[in-house]
Structures are given as structure tokens and as C-alpha cells.
Amino acid sequence: MNNETTTLISLKEAMKRVDHKLQALETQFKELDFTKDNLMQKFEHHSKALASQAAQDEMWTAVRALQLTSMELNILYSYVIEVLICLHTRVLEKLPDLVRGLPTLASVLRRKVKNKRVRVVWESILEECGLQEGDITALCTFFIARGNKAEHYTAKVRQMYIRDVTFLITNMVKNQALQDSLLRAVQVIEKGKAVRTPEKQKSSLEELIPSVKN
């Protein structure tokens, strides 16, 4: 075997080794890309979860910090509970075959996560009422945090105590998201639907929804 043949064989073997190394590197890069994508997805999910939890904690703090008289608390509670009952009732009207499986609003909120039919109906009802998920989060938080010390006032009783509930809310509720949600609750009960401005549509947050008491 002459030198040229030997050199050619050595060159081919060297090229094979290089090719194998390149293939190995390509596999490693693909694995790194896959790992990177997984980490990015987990990071984004974690970030959203933290942001949602932070917003929910802020809402809870805002509700607990409200300085209200018993009369003021009862008035706000009355609007909140009437909206929640209204939403639950409308869901049952549209899903009569699921009445037994949806005994409370909390059950609706749980079932809509995995049940597309319930979710579609729920979203359509929110749209009809001019509400969004962020409003439900705020109203449910108010119900859970303050409802145990409140009682329901009928519309006639509310009118006897206060003429302008909008002034009460804007004056006493400093958290903007909570204030907006309570104002929309009043609109739903008194006018049948909340009116949402374009600016508030953009700023509305969709957060995790706390469970409602049975």
C-alpha cells in the first residue's frame, strides 16, 4: 500500500470521526434546545402563577382592609351575593341537566376548568352581564373574606339606608380593581348589565378564582 492510499484512508477515517463528532454535537444541541424550551415554559408558567397569586393576595388584603360600618358592609355584601346568585341561577337555566351536579357557584367554578360545556356557558353569561373573570375573583374574595359578618339587605332596605351606593364605593374602596368590580356588581343588579369602558377592558386581569362558600 503506497503512501497516497494510506493518506487517503487516514483522511477518510478522520472525516468519519469528524462527522460522528458533528452528529453527536448536533444531538447535544437538540437536547439543549429541548431542555431550554422546557425550562422557558416552566419559567413562564411559574411567573404567571406567581403574578396571579400576588394579585390574589393583593385583592384579599384590599378586601380585609376596608373600613366599613355594619350598614355599609351589608349593602355591599347584598350586591355581591345577589350577583353571585344571579350568575349561578343563569348557569342552571342554561344547563338544566346539570342542576344536581352544580349545586353551588363554587361547583360551577370548579367544573368549568375541565368541562368545556360548562365553561362555554359560563363565559357567555359573563359576557351578557358585562363581567370578566377578574370581577368574579374580586366578588368571590369579598364574599369569602367579609360575608361571615354581613347580612343581606333587600333593594328596598338598601334604598332606605343610602341613596348613592356608587359614591360609597368610590369613596371607601381604594383598590381600583376591587372598586371597579363592586361598581359593576351594582350595575348588573340595578341595570341588568355592567358597562365597561375600553380602558378598563384592557386593564382587566384574569386571575385564579377562589372557591365560594356553599
Side-chain angles (χ1 to χ4, degrees):
M1 186 179 295
N2 57 37
N3 291 336
E4 290 183 0
T5 303
T6 303
T7 302
L8 184 60
I9 293 174
S10 299
L11 182 60
K12 287 182 178 180
E13 291 176 349
M15 290 179 66
K16 286 182 181 180
R17 289 194 296 270
V18 171
D19 187 53
H20 289 158
K21 288 182 179 180
L22 288 174
Q23 290 179 1
L25 286 172
E26 184 178 0
T27 300
Q28 290 178 356
F29 277 123
K30 287 181 179 179
E31 291 175 352
L32 288 173
D33 284 340
F34 179 75
T35 302
K36 180 196 71 174
D37 290 341
N38 278 343
L39 288 174
M40 286 298 295
Q41 289 177 0
K42 290 180 180 179
F43 177 76
E44 289 174 2
H45 176 75
H46 186 59
S47 297
K48 290 179 180 178
L50 287 176
S52 178
Q53 184 62 49
Q56 191 170 324
D57 290 345
E58 182 180 353
M59 181 63 67
W60 182 269
T61 301
V63 171
R64 297 292 296 177
L66 290 175
Q67 300 294 320
L68 302 169
T69 65
S70 295
M71 179 267 290
E72 292 168 341
L73 173 61
N74 291 340
I75 289 174
L76 295 185
Y77 168 81
S78 298
Y79 282 106
V80 169
I81 192 63
E82 285 183 21
V83 169
L84 298 181
I85 291 174
C86 174
L87 293 174
H88 181 226
T89 301
R90 291 195 184 189
V91 170
L92 298 185
E93 288 174 350
K94 293 192 175 187
L95 297 172
D97 57 314
L98 296 181
V99 169
R100 289 189 177 183
L102 301 172
T104 63
L105 181 62
S107 63
V108 174
L109 299 179
R110 287 192 297 268
R111 288 282 295 276
K112 76 179 181 65
V113 176
K114 295 183 179 180
N115 189 311
K116 183 178 179 180
R117 186 175 169 220
V118 175
R119 182 168 62 253
V120 169
V121 167
W122 172 255
E123 291 173 352
S124 69
I125 291 172
L126 289 187
E127 186 176 357
E128 291 171 4
C129 294
L131 299 173
Q132 292 186 356
E133 293 287 4
D135 297 319
I136 308 307
T137 299
L139 299 179
C140 287
T141 302
F142 185 96
F143 176 78
I144 293 170
R146 305 301 294 265
N148 62 326
K149 295 183 179 180
E151 62 178 287
H152 178 259
Y153 284 170
T154 64
K156 184 176 291 187
V157 174
R158 292 197 295 264
Q159 291 173 358
M160 289 174 54
Y161 280 119
I162 190 169
R163 292 185 178 181
D164 189 357
V165 68
T166 297
F167 177 78
L168 167 64
I169 294 172
T170 55
N171 188 51
M172 299 299 296
V173 182
K174 304 306 179 184
N175 180 279
Q176 193 62 54
L178 177 59
Q179 181 185 117
D180 291 343
S181 296
L182 289 172
L183 289 173
R184 282 190 278 273
V186 172
Q187 291 177 335
V188 170
I189 297 305
E190 295 188 348
K191 300 179 181 179
K193 181 175 182 178
V195 179
R196 184 182 296 272
T197 63
E199 290 76 13
K200 289 178 180 178
Q201 281 182 325
K202 293 179 182 178
S203 63
S204 293
L205 298 176
E206 294 188 0
E207 304 157 354
L208 293 175
I209 299 176
S211 297
V212 182
K213 294 188 299 185
N214 291 340

